[in-house]
Amino acid sequence: METSTETLEEVGSAESIRPFQFTFPQADLDDLNRRILATRWPEKEPVNDQTQGVPLATMKALAHYWATEYDWRKVEAKLNALPQFITEIDGLDIHFIHVRSKHTNALPLIVTHGWPGSIIEQMKIIGPLTDPTAFGGKAEDAFDVVIPSMPGYGFSGKPSTTGWGPSRIAYAWITLMKRLGYEKFLAQGGDWGGLITDIMAVQSPDNLLGMATNFPCTVPPEINNAAFAGAPAPDGLSAEEKQAYEQLSFSYKHVAYALIMGSRPQTLLATADSPVGLATMFLDHDQLSLALISRSFAGKSEGLTRDDVLDNITLCWLTNTAVSGYRIYWENKHAFVAPLGVKVPVVVSAFPDELYQAPKSWAEKAYPNMIYYKKHNKGGHFAAWEQPELLVNDIREGFRSLH
């Protein structure tokens, strides 16, 4: 990989921040193509649904498109058109995109991705957030946007020691924003990014003007425990709460990937050797996302295109960050969706095809300073990727009172 990293100093920084560009050697892309074509396939699954995991037909369609039509250079050019940087925090190189708005009084916003994601997830929201007047918004809705790659993901460094869990990442993000000259700022995230954003709000409430999440941590602990155990819905839940409980209970029955990554991430090292193996792991995050992605490879795109999916997987392959990305599950010590005690202003986006659609009643208790709540009728786990317009609108409307 060819990179450019000459040193420069940014305002408010006592540490070097290095501009970053990259071009992967054609030999790496040729090797990827060779490996895809050499895939040894198993027989078709003996069921006609997703109950045994990712369907063979989906993976064959993905592999065929990946090897014969997909063009990595398109997304590489889009990424290199964005201002990217690397800076060392706590002994680790952190890669990030930093787009300053041309509008005055833009609010600084750090946005965090999750797994199986990367900065690719957030590319569709950068323009609308930083240049709202070009996307149907108002100048006063502008943000300076910072999108870091989590440790072990993309172009960030891979931790060689333990300890890089969500809490340490949250501290690193506070350090990053201060280094960029932002003493007070906003934060947004989904999946791991949602949990990290909640932790930032608890750890550094004086720095966070507010936070937004599309992966809300709202489930009362006793309800979360019951759902994880597969118990029937507790008595006394409203219809909306019962639906959320059933969604959560279903999700917990289908997180085999999280269980093995949380206990034996190194056992999955074969996904660093097989691109189709890696893609299969990435597709099986949750049942509804898998169905959505399967439809995209069957000719029906609904928010996520084939290129969207393969841009993210290919970035992981080329940076060899499959196993290093899994390790955050092993490092994590927090419940995924339980309240953490956030007191700062909160914007909640509740999507129906998320692992659970957070009821307003739970969100109000988990976030006593919730300033905006929107229950959407479409969209799933990868909100910035699948439904960028809806998410951008929530961020704009939710934070408008903080400008």
Side-chain angles (χ1 to χ4, degrees), residues 6-315:
E6 70 182 85
T7 300
L8 97 159
E9 297 288 325
E10 287 209 6
V11 175
S13 170
E15 306 288 340
S16 66
I17 296 174
R18 312 180 312 264
F20 178 83
Q21 293 248 306
F22 65 94
T23 303
F24 283 100
Q26 186 59 41
D28 288 1
L29 300 178
D30 293 342
D31 177 65
L32 168 61
N33 201 61
R34 177 188 63 78
R35 288 168 182 263
I36 296 168
L37 293 172
T39 300
R40 185 172 71 163
W41 297 102
E43 67 284 352
K44 181 190 179 300
E45 63 278 6
V47 294
N48 293 315
D49 53 27
Q50 296 178 176
T51 54
Q52 290 198 359
V54 184
L56 180 67
T58 295
M59 293 314 301
K60 284 196 167 182
L62 180 151
H64 176 76
Y65 180 75
W66 203 0
T68 62
E69 295 182 58
Y70 173 73
D71 182 2
W72 163 258
R73 297 299 187 197
K74 287 182 180 179
V75 71
E76 188 175 81
K78 288 179 184 177
L79 280 167
N80 280 332
L82 295 167
Q84 298 175 80
F85 305 89
I86 287 183
T87 191
E88 184 180 311
I89 299 175
D90 202 7
L92 196 70
D93 274 351
I94 298 297
H95 165 265
F96 61 98
I97 296 168
H98 183 200
V99 183
R100 295 184 187 271
S101 176
K102 66 180 181 182
H103 298 290
T104 57
N105 300 320
L107 286 175
L109 172 68
I110 183 168
V111 184
T112 310
H113 66 81
W115 184 91
S118 66
I119 54 171
I120 299 287
E121 274 186 64
Q122 281 83 27
M123 288 178 68
K124 296 175 186 176
I125 67 174
I126 295 173
L129 289 175
T130 58
D131 190 11
T133 55
F135 292 87
K138 301 174 182 177
E140 55 265 32
D141 291 331
F143 298 87
D144 287 347
V145 174
V146 177
I147 305 174
S149 297
M150 290 199 301
Y153 288 72
F155 301 110
S156 280
K158 302 173 187 178
S160 58
T161 59
T162 60
W164 276 98
S167 294
R168 192 169 178 183
I169 296 171
Y171 277 120
W173 282 189
I174 299 293
T175 301
L176 173 62
M177 293 302 278
K178 288 181 177 181
R179 189 171 294 179
L180 293 172
Y182 302 124
E183 285 295 324
K184 292 188 179 292
F185 47 88
L186 302 163
Q188 195 281 336
D191 192 81
W192 284 112
L195 179 59
I196 289 166
T197 298
D198 273 60
I199 294 170
M200 288 171 68
V202 174
Q203 287 179 349
S204 304
D206 292 340
N207 298 110
L208 244 63
L209 295 167
M211 59 157 278
T213 178
N214 56 278
F215 191 73
C217 297
T218 71
V219 185
E222 66 279 5
I223 293 176
N224 194 32
N225 292 338
F228 188 78
D235 295 333
L237 299 183
S238 69
E240 188 179 44
E241 291 168 347
K242 187 172 182 181
Q243 180 185 7
Y245 181 87
E246 299 297 344
Q247 285 180 303
L248 194 61
S249 183
F250 178 85
S251 296
Y252 279 140
K253 289 175 183 155
H254 297 87
V255 288
Y257 68 90
L259 296 177
I260 190 168
M261 288 192 290
S263 60
R264 315 288 286 178
Q266 200 68 18
T267 296
L268 297 170
L269 66 82
T271 58
D273 186 60
S274 165
V276 168
L278 174 66
T280 307
M281 278 291 293
F282 270 38
L283 262 60
D284 203 16
H285 176 272
D286 65 89
Q287 295 285 85
L288 294 175
S289 293
L290 172 57
L292 175 77
I293 292 169
S294 295
R295 291 193 294 273
S296 77
F297 282 98
K300 187 177 181 183
S301 177
E302 305 161 22
L304 283 182
T305 67
R306 295 180 297 180
D307 279 8
D308 286 333
V309 174
L310 287 174
D311 288 346
N312 184 53
I313 298 170
T314 306
L315 176 63

